[in-house]
Amino acid sequence: MHEGIDWDLLAKYIAGACSETERAAVEAWASADPMHRQLLEELRLTWQVMEQMPPPVSVEAAWQRVRAQMERPADRPAIPARRHRARAWGVRVLAVLAVTLGVALLYHELGWLPRPESAHEPEAPRVFVTQRGQRATVQLVDGTRILLAPESRLEVAADYGRTGRHVTLAGEAYFEVASDSLHPFVVQAPRLRVQVLGTAFGVRAYAEETRAYVAVRHGRVQVQPESAHARAAAALLAAGQVARLKEAGQLEIRRPASLDAYVGWAEGRLVFERTPLREVARTLARWYDLEIQLEDPALGARQLTATFEEAPAYQVLQIIAATMNLKVVRDAENPRRIRWREASPPS
């Protein structure tokens, strides 16, 4: 299952000791398979714990017990094999962790951490975070798949799948939820609560934005505004419907001709339909890790209708500028800082 994975390289990556070439290799490997991404996140969390404690004496024995499992035929792409020198005990602990597929169980088996004195002590949730310009795929134990948009944060309850299925989102995500009639899937987001049994839908709810939406691709979704005066306004959405949360906390339900403007990003497309330029700038800033300013605030009211499929940032900026009679101005000291201004009329 783990044949060909370069544990030394993974350890160097998590410890922040990679070269740019090595970092690119690890990130390409992680992006190739949702399970790779999940494995890398679990190893990262474990490394943070290992940094704060001495090497456990039982790691060598554990390594020997699972070594044979690591040599099974590969069933997914592997990082190209290289040899690197990292802390040997750290590398082997990571390998043991990956094979046993249970971070908490491994801690107890090897005696790294004391068992909780109280059975009621809360467990910490698993946290997944994307920065600007980043996307991530999270695969949960029940088969639910979540795509995280840039600059988003997802918390998965520690008891997920055992007593319930609860996640907390700040940002934007697309959910493909495994069906389970006994355990509803609940998304808690800023100003919104979403509950389903099994479906596919998108949620956008950034903490710093007053507007939010839920768009349903398949199945049915219950949406509950969180403002106290709007609690009675819960809505049940069917496939093809969108619920937009207005600034006053009320839901607006509509059925657009296409959901691409809401969830197309999950398939690599940025779709704008009569979108104000101020919102376009905010989305592109997250998507491409840019700082985009409008020289004249009045430009923000202009509306853009366009579709971009995995297009580079420079191309997107230039197409929008040409479409809306704007000029792209780059900051000489910071090329990631962009200004849009009105283009001069032709002489």
Side-chain angles (χ1 to χ4, degrees):
M1 179 178 180
H2 300 287
E3 183 188 55
I5 292 181
D6 189 339
W7 300 101
D8 293 339
L9 181 55
L10 290 185
K12 286 185 66 178
Y13 176 87
I14 294 169
C18 274
S19 67
E20 287 301 317
T21 300
E22 291 169 335
R23 179 179 299 277
V26 173
E27 292 178 351
W29 172 83
S31 299
D33 189 312
M35 295 302 294
H36 293 178
R37 176 68 63 183
Q38 183 176 356
L39 172 62
L40 190 61
E41 290 302 323
E42 291 183 350
L43 299 185
R44 191 195 310 275
L45 293 174
T46 305
W47 188 272
Q48 292 173 358
V49 174
M50 292 192 301
E51 290 282 76
Q52 302 175 12
M53 59 179 59
V57 296
S58 56
V59 168
E60 184 65 27
W63 167 264
Q64 296 299 331
R65 287 200 304 270
V66 302
R67 187 185 187 105
Q69 296 182 50
M70 294 174 57
E71 297 173 352
R72 290 178 180 174
D75 57 6
R76 55 189 177 187
I79 302 176
R82 302 182 185 87
R83 296 303 302 169
H84 305 277
R85 290 192 177 275
R87 281 170 286 184
W89 69 269
V91 173
R92 293 190 175 187
V93 168
L94 291 179
V96 171
L97 168 65
V99 175
T100 56
L101 300 178
V103 178
L105 292 177
L106 187 65
Y107 286 170
H108 294 315
E109 178 186 349
L110 299 182
W112 294 9
L113 300 175
R115 295 181 183 271
E117 294 181 3
S118 170
H120 301 290
E121 184 174 329
E123 297 178 75
R126 295 177 60 195
V127 179
F128 303 87
V129 178
T130 56
Q131 306 300 326
R132 287 192 171 197
Q134 295 180 338
R135 286 172 283 171
T137 301
V138 180
Q139 191 87 21
L140 302 183
V141 294
D142 63 345
T144 292
R145 182 171 176 260
I146 304 171
L147 306 180
L148 275 184
E151 209 170 24
S152 299
R153 186 177 192 274
L154 178 76
E155 288 190 8
V156 180
D159 62 353
Y160 182 93
R162 300 200 303 267
T163 60
R165 299 195 296 170
H166 293 258
V167 302
T168 301
L169 171 70
E172 187 169 9
Y174 182 75
F175 299 84
E176 296 176 346
V177 179
S179 181
D180 184 343
S181 60
L182 299 179
H183 301 96
F185 183 89
V186 177
V187 182
Q188 184 65 57
R191 301 174 299 281
L192 285 175
R193 185 178 188 273
V194 183
Q195 179 171 315
V196 302
L197 295 178
T199 185
F201 61 98
V203 177
R204 176 172 174 144
Y206 285 95
E208 67 274 18
E209 295 181 359
T210 56
R211 296 180 181 271
Y213 70 72
V214 177
V216 183
R217 179 78 82 183
H218 305 293
R220 308 178 83 183
V221 170
Q222 184 185 63
V223 183
Q224 174 77 61
E226 285 296 289
S227 57
H229 64 279
R231 281 193 177 276
L236 186 63
L237 304 183
Q241 289 187 311
V242 175
R244 294 181 63 94
L245 185 67
K246 297 183 177 180
E247 293 185 15
Q250 303 294 327
L251 289 177
E252 175 187 72
I253 312 299
R254 57 189 297 261
R255 183 183 290 275
S258 170
L259 294 181
D260 281 355
Y262 301 94
V263 296
W265 67 267
E267 298 172 345
R269 298 189 306 278
L270 283 180
V271 181
F272 301 103
E273 292 181 359
R274 301 180 63 183
T275 306
L277 195 58
R278 68 175 67 88
E279 293 186 22
V280 173
R282 189 181 301 125
T283 296
L284 295 181
R286 289 193 179 111
W287 203 256
Y288 293 109
D289 188 17
L290 299 172
E291 297 178 33
I292 302 179
Q293 302 171 348
L294 301 179
E295 190 170 273
D296 181 357
L299 295 174
R302 293 188 181 181
Q303 295 184 340
L304 173 71
T305 296
T307 298
F308 303 97
E309 188 163 354
E310 299 292 355
Y314 179 78
Q315 179 180 335
V316 172
L317 293 171
Q318 292 297 332
I319 291 175
I320 293 176
T323 302
M324 308 194 75
N325 193 36
L326 302 173
K327 183 176 181 180
V328 178
V329 181
R330 290 184 179 270
D331 190 302
E333 297 182 356
N334 181 1
R336 306 199 74 79
R337 185 177 295 131
I338 306 295
R339 279 188 299 119
W340 270 329
R341 71 184 184 195
E342 190 85 51
S344 302
S347 56

